[in-house]
Amino acid sequence: MEIYLVGGAVRDRLLGLPPGDRDWVVVGSTPEAMLSAGFRAVGRDFPVFLHPDTGEEHALARTERKSARGHRGFVVDAAPTVTLEEDLGRRDFSINAIAERPDGSLVDPHGGQADIEARVLRHVGPAFSEDPLRVLRAARFMARFAALGFTVADETSALMRGMVAGGELADLVPERVWQELVRALRSPRPSAFLRTLRDCGALAVVLPEVDALYGVPQRAEYHPEVDTGVHVELVCDMAATLAPGDDAIGFAALVHDLGKALTPDNELPKHIQHEQRGVRPVRELCARLRVPAAHRDLAVVACREHLNVHRLAELRDSTVHDLLARCDGFRRPERTTQLATVCEADKRGRTGLQDQPYPQAAELVRLRDAAAAVTGADIAHLELEGPAFGEALRKARVAAIGHARTLRRDPD
């Protein structure tokens, strides 16, 4: 039995990145031998085991043979005769096909170290085209590594275009698409995920509502970047900067302007009522990808309300209250903070405006806190019930919002 450190742990060390989870490949063993050594089996589709002490994943070296369409259509061979080089040869990218021996030396049959130095994402071999999920993985790795200067190798881009043209991505299941999207939104540069998919034609397949935004013009005085698709890229990157690793905020940023793709041509470059038009495609996208309810609800709120938050200072006290109530801000205070962050990302996600202040974010949260400080106990003395009680509570909270605004304007 020989054990090697493989994959992301080796890659990230060579890139000088903080270490993450460590994965190991075991050569020359069998499932029975692993169990006898105290490992615990966890793999469903291929033999993966957890170390009895560290809990780290150890997978038997394996090869894969395509047997059907889709990312699950493979026959796995994990016999003890499978070599380390054969196992590395089935991996997706050269930078992930490097193994480290116990003495620290590297096994690198596919030039992964050279590609790391050149900052190139390159597929290992022709078997790459057998798994459509790898197109999304390429885009997701670009979301993580574009900030380090990585680009996709020309031959890999060509292979991805061929996979899309051949209809391979039609076999992707919604859960896997969502999983890759979430990981991209947690990354430093989600725009690279969108651009990589769009360059090979995959964005129109997996996120057609987002792809439809490219080429849609906006008013240059508000959006110097003009193209709505480019704006969404900037907003996603700004969201990743304001809320690193928060995929709920990132998803809401991604879909907040879907309604602009539905603007009639005779109204362009204005987008009247695009917030209302966008709710339906947001819900349809969420249903198709089986997006979790919390992500969906924030996305719908951000789509519907982002212009109201932008003009917060112009709203009446009662309108501010009703905005907070529509967003469920009194029961879910975190929703208000999330919405404020998405709106800030929208406002600052514009060419040349990334450093503009956005006081509406803090003000929205401050007014919510002022209103929420008023509870039912504060009006209990009125001895009201039912709708009358609710209306009295609303009036008291509206008054609290007005008082908070007065204090901001005239602190003395």
Side-chain angles (χ1 to χ4, degrees), residues 195-217:
R195 285 198 304 274
T196 302
L197 290 182
R198 191 159 191 272
D199 287 346
C200 68
L203 190 63
V205 178
V206 297
L207 292 171
E209 299 89 347
V210 177
D211 187 70
L213 296 173
Y214 286 87
V216 175

Side-chain angles (χ1 to χ4, degrees), residues 79 92 131 155 158 197 199 222 247 266 297 329 336 347 362:
D92 49 10
D131 185 354
E155 61 269 31
L197 290 182
D199 287 346
Y222 299 118
D247 50 82
N266 64 337
D297 293 346
T336 306
K347 199 68 171 182

Side-chain angles (χ1 to χ4, degrees), residues 48-102:
V48 179
F49 304 84
L50 299 183
H51 192 281
D53 298 323
T54 67
E56 294 176 333
E57 287 192 359
H58 287 60
L60 296 185
R62 65 184 189 271
T63 59
E64 297 169 343
R65 177 173 53 82
K66 189 72 170 174
S67 59
R69 287 177 64 91
H71 73 279
R72 288 191 146 182
F74 291 91
V75 174
V76 174
D77 178 13
T81 54
V82 175
T83 66
L84 174 63
E85 288 73 16
E86 288 174 325
D87 180 273
L88 295 176
R90 68 168 178 81
R91 296 174 183 266
D92 49 10
F93 303 105
S94 63
I95 64 173
N96 297 329
I98 309 172
E100 182 177 308
R101 300 184 181 94

Side-chain angles (χ1 to χ4, degrees), residues 207-230:
L207 292 171
E209 299 89 347
V210 177
D211 187 70
L213 296 173
Y214 286 87
V216 175
Q218 303 166 108
R219 294 173 64 180
E221 63 267 37
Y222 299 118
H223 289 275
E225 69 284 351
V226 179
D227 189 302
T228 305
V230 174

Side-chain angles (χ1 to χ4, degrees), residues 395-412:
K395 288 181 179 178
R397 285 177 166 173
V398 170
I401 291 171
H403 181 63
R405 285 174 141 179
T406 300
L407 289 178
R408 172 58 59 88
R409 291 191 296 266
D410 186 13
D412 296 331

Side-chain angles (χ1 to χ4, degrees), residues 16-210:
L17 298 175
D21 294 336
R22 300 195 303 173
D23 295 317
W24 306 82
V25 66
V26 182
V27 178
S29 188
T30 64
E32 294 76 18
M34 297 295 287
L35 294 173
S36 297
F39 287 80
R40 180 164 60 91
V42 294
R44 182 180 66 177
D45 299 321
F46 44 82
V48 179
F49 304 84
L50 299 183
H51 192 281
D53 298 323
T54 67
E56 294 176 333
E57 287 192 359
H58 287 60
L60 296 185
R62 65 184 189 271
T63 59
E64 297 169 343
R65 177 173 53 82
K66 189 72 170 174
S67 59
R69 287 177 64 91
H71 73 279
R72 288 191 146 182
F74 291 91
V75 174
V76 174
D77 178 13
T81 54
V82 175
T83 66
L84 174 63
E85 288 73 16
E86 288 174 325
D87 180 273
L88 295 176
R90 68 168 178 81
R91 296 174 183 266
D92 49 10
F93 303 105
S94 63
I95 64 173
N96 297 329
I98 309 172
E100 182 177 308
R101 300 184 181 94
D103 64 3
S105 60
L106 299 178
V107 180
D108 181 19
H110 301 285
Q113 295 177 84
D115 284 339
I116 285 176
E117 293 175 4
R119 299 297 195 256
V120 172
L121 189 68
R122 188 190 317 276
H123 66 285
V124 166
F128 179 95
S129 62
E130 297 176 349
D131 185 354
L133 187 64
R134 288 179 168 178
V135 173
L136 272 67
R137 282 175 58 82
R140 189 246 298 173
F141 278 122
M142 286 302 298
R144 184 178 178 192
F145 295 135
L148 301 180
F150 269 81
T151 59
V152 180
D154 291 342
E155 61 269 31
T156 302
S157 294
L159 188 59
M160 290 163 59
R161 286 193 294 272
M163 293 169 67
V164 174
E168 283 287 328
L169 271 65
D171 296 310
L172 288 173
V173 297
E175 292 84 356
R176 296 309 297 269
V177 175
W178 173 248
Q179 184 181 51
E180 294 299 322
L181 174 58
V182 163
R183 297 174 78 175
L185 293 172
R186 293 173 186 161
S187 301
R189 198 72 66 79
S191 62
F193 177 82
L194 300 177
R195 285 198 304 274
T196 302
L197 290 182
R198 191 159 191 272
D199 287 346
C200 68
L203 190 63
V205 178
V206 297
L207 292 171
E209 299 89 347
V210 177

